[in-house]
Amino acid sequence: MNETRRDRDAEGRARNARPRDGLGRPLPYGAPGVERQPEGIVRTPAETLAEAQRLLDAGMPFHAHEVFEDAWKSGPEDERELWRGLAQLAVGLTHSARGNTAGGARLLRRGAGALAPFAGSGPYGIEVAGLSDWARELAGRVESGPTVDAAAEAPLLRG
């Protein structure tokens, strides 16, 4: 790549073409990386949850966040906070696994807060109360220091 020019996608938008690891960190050009999640995919809520759960279980919360982000951007207005909260949980886990304990804890708590209005309804079988408890508990643990293993800490989205 020409170092003076930015990477661009097919539509001409700036997009870093460097490969990424399983936690979304950029790797050097030419290094083997993890395939990126395609952007702008419209999935049903069940497909979104299944794909995100697969990625979380594989220790790839950064990629799960991208799946949730697609749902947040393409879903009905009254569900955007649900999907955004789930995306924040995934990013919080990402930061916690990368060793950014302050950022990880902050995003885990923010995601739990965004999910709070959905606790009574449990849309699409999502274990909202359990996820919120998981996020707050993990936030407390990561603040005390140890980097977490993303796959070992992956939450269960549905009961």
mmCIF file of all heavy atoms in Angstrom, residues 102-125:
data_model
loop_
_atom_site.group_PDB
_atom_site.id
_atom_site.type_symbol
_atom_site.label_atom_id
_atom_site.label_comp_id
_atom_site.label_asym_id
_atom_site.label_seq_id
_atom_site.Cartn_x
_atom_site.Cartn_y
_atom_site.Cartn_z
ATOM 1 N N ALA A 102 -10.192 -0.102 32.332
ATOM 2 C CA ALA A 102 -11.090 1.032 32.606
ATOM 3 C C ALA A 102 -12.141 1.152 31.502
ATOM 4 O O ALA A 102 -13.337 1.291 31.785
ATOM 5 C CB ALA A 102 -10.292 2.325 32.728
ATOM 6 N N GLY A 103 -11.723 1.101 30.251
ATOM 7 C CA GLY A 103 -12.659 1.195 29.133
ATOM 8 C C GLY A 103 -13.607 0.007 29.082
ATOM 9 O O GLY A 103 -14.792 0.156 28.796
ATOM 10 N N GLY A 104 -13.072 -1.175 29.359
ATOM 11 C CA GLY A 104 -13.910 -2.368 29.361
ATOM 12 C C GLY A 104 -14.999 -2.292 30.412
ATOM 13 O O GLY A 104 -16.177 -2.542 30.132
ATOM 14 N N ALA A 105 -14.623 -1.919 31.626
ATOM 15 C CA ALA A 105 -15.603 -1.820 32.719
ATOM 16 C C ALA A 105 -16.653 -0.759 32.413
ATOM 17 O O ALA A 105 -17.852 -0.962 32.638
ATOM 18 C CB ALA A 105 -14.890 -1.510 34.038
ATOM 19 N N ARG A 106 -16.218 0.372 31.880
ATOM 20 C CA ARG A 106 -17.149 1.461 31.560
ATOM 21 C C ARG A 106 -18.179 1.008 30.524
ATOM 22 O O ARG A 106 -19.376 1.243 30.671
ATOM 23 C CB ARG A 106 -16.375 2.667 31.040
ATOM 24 C CG ARG A 106 -17.210 3.900 30.837
ATOM 25 C CD ARG A 106 -16.399 5.126 30.414
ATOM 26 N NE ARG A 106 -15.102 5.244 31.059
ATOM 27 C CZ ARG A 106 -13.915 5.056 30.434
ATOM 28 N NH1 ARG A 106 -13.862 4.775 29.174
ATOM 29 N NH2 ARG A 106 -12.790 5.166 31.097
ATOM 30 N N LEU A 107 -17.729 0.343 29.462
ATOM 31 C CA LEU A 107 -18.654 -0.104 28.411
ATOM 32 C C LEU A 107 -19.559 -1.230 28.882
ATOM 33 O O LEU A 107 -20.726 -1.297 28.479
ATOM 34 C CB LEU A 107 -17.873 -0.509 27.170
ATOM 35 C CG LEU A 107 -17.431 0.683 26.319
ATOM 36 C CD1 LEU A 107 -16.298 0.315 25.395
ATOM 37 C CD2 LEU A 107 -18.614 1.231 25.543
ATOM 38 N N LEU A 108 -19.054 -2.111 29.719
ATOM 39 C CA LEU A 108 -19.906 -3.169 30.264
ATOM 40 C C LEU A 108 -21.042 -2.556 31.085
ATOM 41 O O LEU A 108 -22.208 -2.954 30.953
ATOM 42 C CB LEU A 108 -19.086 -4.137 31.115
ATOM 43 C CG LEU A 108 -18.159 -5.064 30.328
ATOM 44 C CD1 LEU A 108 -17.106 -5.688 31.244
ATOM 45 C CD2 LEU A 108 -18.959 -6.136 29.607
ATOM 46 N N ARG A 109 -20.729 -1.583 31.902
ATOM 47 C CA ARG A 109 -21.769 -0.928 32.707
ATOM 48 C C ARG A 109 -22.725 -0.114 31.836
ATOM 49 O O ARG A 109 -23.934 -0.102 32.059
ATOM 50 C CB ARG A 109 -21.127 -0.053 33.774
ATOM 51 C CG ARG A 109 -20.491 -0.872 34.880
ATOM 52 C CD ARG A 109 -20.066 -0.017 36.064
ATOM 53 N NE ARG A 109 -19.490 -0.868 37.078
ATOM 54 C CZ ARG A 109 -18.178 -0.962 37.338
ATOM 55 N NH1 ARG A 109 -17.316 -0.215 36.664
ATOM 56 N NH2 ARG A 109 -17.743 -1.777 38.267
ATOM 57 N N ARG A 110 -22.197 0.549 30.825
ATOM 58 C CA ARG A 110 -23.051 1.326 29.923
ATOM 59 C C ARG A 110 -24.019 0.404 29.183
ATOM 60 O O ARG A 110 -25.195 0.719 29.024
ATOM 61 C CB ARG A 110 -22.188 2.101 28.935
ATOM 62 C CG ARG A 110 -22.984 3.087 28.089
ATOM 63 C CD ARG A 110 -22.091 3.877 27.159
ATOM 64 N NE ARG A 110 -21.107 4.629 27.921
ATOM 65 C CZ ARG A 110 -19.945 5.036 27.416
ATOM 66 N NH1 ARG A 110 -19.609 4.757 26.169
ATOM 67 N NH2 ARG A 110 -19.101 5.724 28.147
ATOM 68 N N GLY A 111 -23.511 -0.733 28.724
ATOM 69 C CA GLY A 111 -24.372 -1.702 28.041
ATOM 70 C C GLY A 111 -25.448 -2.240 28.962
ATOM 71 O O GLY A 111 -26.609 -2.369 28.570
ATOM 72 N N ALA A 112 -25.085 -2.550 30.194
ATOM 73 C CA ALA A 112 -26.073 -3.035 31.165
ATOM 74 C C ALA A 112 -27.151 -1.979 31.391
ATOM 75 O O ALA A 112 -28.338 -2.298 31.473
ATOM 76 C CB ALA A 112 -25.389 -3.402 32.483
ATOM 77 N N GLY A 113 -26.756 -0.731 31.457
ATOM 78 C CA GLY A 113 -27.717 0.347 31.631
ATOM 79 C C GLY A 113 -28.646 0.494 30.436
ATOM 80 O O GLY A 113 -29.849 0.728 30.591
ATOM 81 N N ALA A 114 -28.109 0.345 29.238
ATOM 82 C CA ALA A 114 -28.935 0.450 28.029
ATOM 83 C C ALA A 114 -29.958 -0.677 27.947
ATOM 84 O O ALA A 114 -31.040 -0.505 27.388
ATOM 85 C CB ALA A 114 -28.043 0.449 26.787
ATOM 86 N N LEU A 115 -29.622 -1.832 28.511
ATOM 87 C CA LEU A 115 -30.537 -2.977 28.483
ATOM 88 C C LEU A 115 -31.634 -2.887 29.540
ATOM 89 O O LEU A 115 -32.663 -3.558 29.417
ATOM 90 C CB LEU A 115 -29.760 -4.282 28.690
ATOM 91 C CG LEU A 115 -28.802 -4.691 27.578
ATOM 92 C CD1 LEU A 115 -28.098 -5.981 27.952
ATOM 93 C CD2 LEU A 115 -29.512 -4.824 26.247
ATOM 94 N N ALA A 116 -31.435 -2.060 30.559
ATOM 95 C CA ALA A 116 -32.361 -2.003 31.694
ATOM 96 C C ALA A 116 -33.832 -1.851 31.291
ATOM 97 O O ALA A 116 -34.683 -2.555 31.851
ATOM 98 C CB ALA A 116 -31.948 -0.896 32.660
ATOM 99 N N PRO A 117 -34.175 -1.003 30.329
ATOM 100 C CA PRO A 117 -35.594 -0.868 29.982
ATOM 101 C C PRO A 117 -36.219 -2.140 29.391
ATOM 102 O O PRO A 117 -37.432 -2.260 29.337
ATOM 103 C CB PRO A 117 -35.601 0.256 28.933
ATOM 104 C CG PRO A 117 -34.335 0.998 29.135
ATOM 105 C CD PRO A 117 -33.353 -0.008 29.645
ATOM 106 N N PHE A 118 -35.405 -3.088 28.970
ATOM 107 C CA PHE A 118 -35.901 -4.314 28.352
ATOM 108 C C PHE A 118 -35.948 -5.491 29.328
ATOM 109 O O PHE A 118 -36.315 -6.600 28.944
ATOM 110 C CB PHE A 118 -35.027 -4.681 27.143
ATOM 111 C CG PHE A 118 -35.000 -3.604 26.097
ATOM 112 C CD1 PHE A 118 -33.995 -2.647 26.090
ATOM 113 C CD2 PHE A 118 -35.999 -3.529 25.141
ATOM 114 C CE1 PHE A 118 -33.981 -1.642 25.131
ATOM 115 C CE2 PHE A 118 -35.996 -2.533 24.180
ATOM 116 C CZ PHE A 118 -34.982 -1.586 24.178
ATOM 117 N N ALA A 119 -35.586 -5.254 30.581
ATOM 118 C CA ALA A 119 -35.478 -6.346 31.559
ATOM 119 C C ALA A 119 -36.779 -7.098 31.762
ATOM 120 O O ALA A 119 -36.778 -8.313 31.906
ATOM 121 C CB ALA A 119 -34.965 -5.808 32.892
ATOM 122 N N GLY A 120 -37.899 -6.424 31.776
ATOM 123 C CA GLY A 120 -39.172 -7.095 32.007
ATOM 124 C C GLY A 120 -39.665 -7.906 30.834
ATOM 125 O O GLY A 120 -40.307 -8.934 30.998
ATOM 126 N N SER A 121 -39.333 -7.463 29.618
ATOM 127 C CA SER A 121 -39.895 -8.107 28.433
ATOM 128 C C SER A 121 -39.050 -9.245 27.893
ATOM 129 O O SER A 121 -39.577 -10.160 27.272
ATOM 130 C CB SER A 121 -40.113 -7.067 27.333
ATOM 131 O OG SER A 121 -38.882 -6.485 26.950
ATOM 132 N N GLY A 122 -37.733 -9.194 28.068
ATOM 133 C CA GLY A 122 -36.859 -10.242 27.552
ATOM 134 C C GLY A 122 -37.103 -10.525 26.073
ATOM 135 O O GLY A 122 -37.384 -11.657 25.701
ATOM 136 N N PRO A 123 -37.014 -9.488 25.209
ATOM 137 C CA PRO A 123 -37.335 -9.691 23.804
ATOM 138 C C PRO A 123 -36.460 -10.766 23.159
ATOM 139 O O PRO A 123 -35.278 -10.870 23.477
ATOM 140 C CB PRO A 123 -37.084 -8.322 23.173
ATOM 141 C CG PRO A 123 -36.197 -7.605 24.124
ATOM 142 C CD PRO A 123 -36.492 -8.161 25.479
ATOM 143 N N TYR A 124 -37.080 -11.541 22.286
ATOM 144 C CA TYR A 124 -36.395 -12.582 21.507
ATOM 145 C C TYR A 124 -35.702 -13.622 22.385
ATOM 146 O O TYR A 124 -34.747 -14.256 21.975
ATOM 147 C CB TYR A 124 -35.402 -11.962 20.520
ATOM 148 C CG TYR A 124 -36.035 -10.889 19.690
ATOM 149 C CD1 TYR A 124 -35.657 -9.556 19.836
ATOM 150 C CD2 TYR A 124 -37.035 -11.201 18.779
ATOM 151 C CE1 TYR A 124 -36.257 -8.563 19.094
ATOM 152 C CE2 TYR A 124 -37.646 -10.198 18.020
ATOM 153 C CZ TYR A 124 -37.259 -8.895 18.187
ATOM 154 O OH TYR A 124 -37.860 -7.910 17.450
ATOM 155 N N GLY A 125 -36.180 -13.776 23.611
ATOM 156 C CA GLY A 125 -35.596 -14.748 24.512
ATOM 157 C C GLY A 125 -34.278 -14.304 25.126
ATOM 158 O O GLY A 125 -33.576 -15.100 25.756
#
